[in-house]
Amino acid sequence: MHSDTSLSPITIDLGATRSYPYHIESLQRVPELMAASGLRIGKCMVITDATVARHYANTLEEALLTAGWQPERIVVTTGEKAKGYADLHQIYDAALSSGIDRKTPVLALGGGVVGDLAGFAAASLLRGLPFVQLPTTLIAQVDSALGGKTGINHATGKNLIGAFHQPAFVCADLKTLQSLPFREWTSGLAEVVKHALIADIDFVSWLEDNWAAVIDRDASILGTLIHRAAGIKAVVVSQDEREAGLRAILNFGHTFGHAIEHVAGYGHFTHGEAVAMGMRAALHLSARLHPALDVQRAADLVKKLPIQASAIDMPVDDLVAAMYTDKKVLAGRIRFVLLDKVGHAYVEADADMRDATWAFEEMLKNLHL
């Protein structure tokens, strides 16, 4: 394992039979980790996209072949467009025609889109195949690869078709972060900042002190960055696997952000950019309900996240309407994740929608694209 004990495996604790580890390790060690997880050597499906495949698929597959595995690569569309019926059925067709059985593992090599898509395929093929998350982007390594959420998008909204399907393990190779385009790196940082703001004021301080190194992807701090951010997600998921309560705090910025993605058109803003904008709106609403909140400190950190997409007209009425299509709406009421202090979030089910509309207006007014 990694020589730094601070990067020891994180455990997602879902009970004796379903807990699983999160490793910060190289892709070459994946076959060893598969053996340790009790996966049967034989055929496995490697689901990736063309960009990731070009950089990392050969490294992974060579390690698998050496260990006696028979990997079959399935390359899906690059980007958010992959999270739809066409690419899902491409996986179904390839997997079912290759002679899989219920012990054939599905390996997701890529970012959050690949992980969500491959995970839903694994959850639904033969009523459930073993699943391994090999996240290659920051947003996936600290957020989407942990917790078992899988799914695809629908024209009505994002992630509306899916299932909870926990992986056998997660393995994050820090070297994959160096090949990310700058925009993908800074987009992933939105989830890192979110984790700090909702649950760990000491991590907020660490980010404030180390931001220049964080933006530069300084190798000396990457392990700490990933381990601390992923550790927050692991603790929350361990306490609330299916978002019955605490896990909802992970949606800080997302209710506003998903509406922004929907109105702007999926792909105009990256998910992280939409979340960063959504956090700005959520902070306006938080400050209105909690005047004692040190909103300036939180806002200063969020504003360090660059938004590189071009300006686009997003009518506030359309943004508010889009929030009602979010899967987190219960009995027609929108649940907002807000801060009552820096480092602590909660779910507010009784916010006045006039305040939420105002928060959108303030975010748009102060957003410099």
Side-chain angles (χ1 to χ4, degrees):
M1 305 300 290
H2 198 287
S3 59
D4 186 343
T5 56
S6 69
L7 301 185
S8 57
I10 299 166
T11 299
I12 293 80
D13 186 0
L14 302 176
T17 61
R18 296 194 312 113
S19 295
Y20 59 92
Y22 176 104
H23 301 276
I24 296 178
E25 294 286 358
S26 69
L27 288 172
Q28 287 92 336
R29 293 208 59 212
V30 168
E32 181 183 339
L33 300 175
M34 291 171 73
S37 294
L39 299 178
R40 184 198 66 193
I41 292 180
K43 184 185 297 293
C44 64
M45 315 301 294
V46 176
I47 300 176
T48 188
D49 64 34
T51 301
V52 176
R54 186 166 61 250
H55 289 290
Y56 304 113
N58 288 341
T59 297
L60 173 63
E61 290 170 359
E62 286 169 8
L64 289 166
L65 287 165
T66 299
W69 287 89
Q70 301 152 31
E72 176 158 336
R73 186 188 305 184
I74 302 173
V75 179
V76 299
T77 305
T78 298
E80 192 74 23
K81 291 180 180 178
K83 285 179 62 172
Y85 297 110
D87 285 85
L88 179 65
H89 282 276
Q90 177 192 345
I91 296 171
Y92 286 161
D93 292 344
L96 293 171
S97 66
S98 71
I100 62 169
D101 62 33
R102 296 187 71 181
K103 292 189 176 182
T104 303
V106 174
L107 281 60
L109 177 67
V113 168
V114 168
D116 284 359
L117 176 66
F120 186 51
S124 49
L125 277 164
L126 306 185
R127 296 188 176 145
L129 300 181
F131 179 46
V132 172
Q133 282 273 22
L134 305 175
T136 60
T137 64
L138 179 57
I139 200 167
Q141 290 191 4
V142 303
D143 189 65
S144 61
L146 294 90
K149 282 188 177 180
T150 72
I152 60 173
N153 298 331
H154 186 272
T156 305
K158 189 179 175 72
N159 296 324
L160 293 180
I161 300 169
F164 285 92
H165 189 57
Q166 301 293 346
F169 66 89
V170 182
C171 179
D173 187 335
L174 299 181
K175 291 190 295 294
T176 65
L177 300 176
Q178 298 296 349
S179 63
L180 292 178
F182 180 72
R183 188 180 181 193
E184 291 302 313
W185 174 251
T186 57
S187 295
L189 287 176
E191 299 291 352
V192 174
V193 167
K194 177 203 75 177
H195 286 176
L197 289 175
I198 66 172
D200 190 344
I201 194 167
D202 290 338
F203 192 29
V204 171
S205 298
W206 186 91
L207 289 170
E208 290 168 337
D209 293 342
N210 293 279
W211 192 256
V214 167
I215 284 287
D216 288 344
R217 280 179 267 192
D218 186 328
S220 68
I221 57 90
L222 282 184
T224 299
L225 180 80
I226 300 302
H227 199 271
R228 291 191 70 164
I232 292 168
K233 176 75 178 271
V235 168
V236 173
V237 169
S238 294
Q239 295 180 60
D240 180 18
E241 179 183 0
R242 291 181 174 258
E243 206 170 309
L246 178 66
R247 185 168 176 171
I249 68 171
L250 294 166
N251 292 315
F252 180 61
H254 284 62
T255 299
F256 289 104
H258 284 167
I260 290 166
E261 287 184 287
H262 184 81
V263 172
Y266 291 116
H268 181 81
F269 297 106
T270 67
H271 177 66
E273 288 170 344
V275 168
M277 297 162 69
M279 286 193 288
R280 295 187 190 192
L283 286 173
H284 284 298
L285 184 54
S286 297
R288 173 158 283 199
L289 299 182
H290 302 282
L293 171 68
D294 188 356
V295 69
Q296 193 61 53
R297 183 182 185 186
D300 285 347
L301 184 57
V302 171
K303 288 176 182 176
K304 292 179 185 293
L305 298 164
I307 296 169
Q308 297 188 40
S310 59
I312 189 171
D313 182 38
M314 293 185 290
V316 172
D317 289 347
D318 292 350
L319 291 169
V320 172
M323 284 198 288
Y324 283 97
T325 69
D326 194 279
K327 63 186 180 302
K328 294 177 285 296
V329 172
L330 287 179
R333 296 192 69 83
I334 297 173
R335 297 182 297 162
F336 293 97
V337 181
L338 304 177
L339 300 187
D340 52 11
K341 59 183 178 181
V342 177
H344 185 266
Y346 74 102
V347 179
E348 175 60 69
D350 295 316
D352 190 319
M353 286 306 296
R354 289 173 296 184
D355 288 338
T357 301
W358 170 82
F360 259 137
E361 290 170 343
E362 290 299 300
M363 180 274 292
L364 292 170
K365 185 190 308 180
N366 295 292
L367 186 66
H368 300 291
L369 294 177

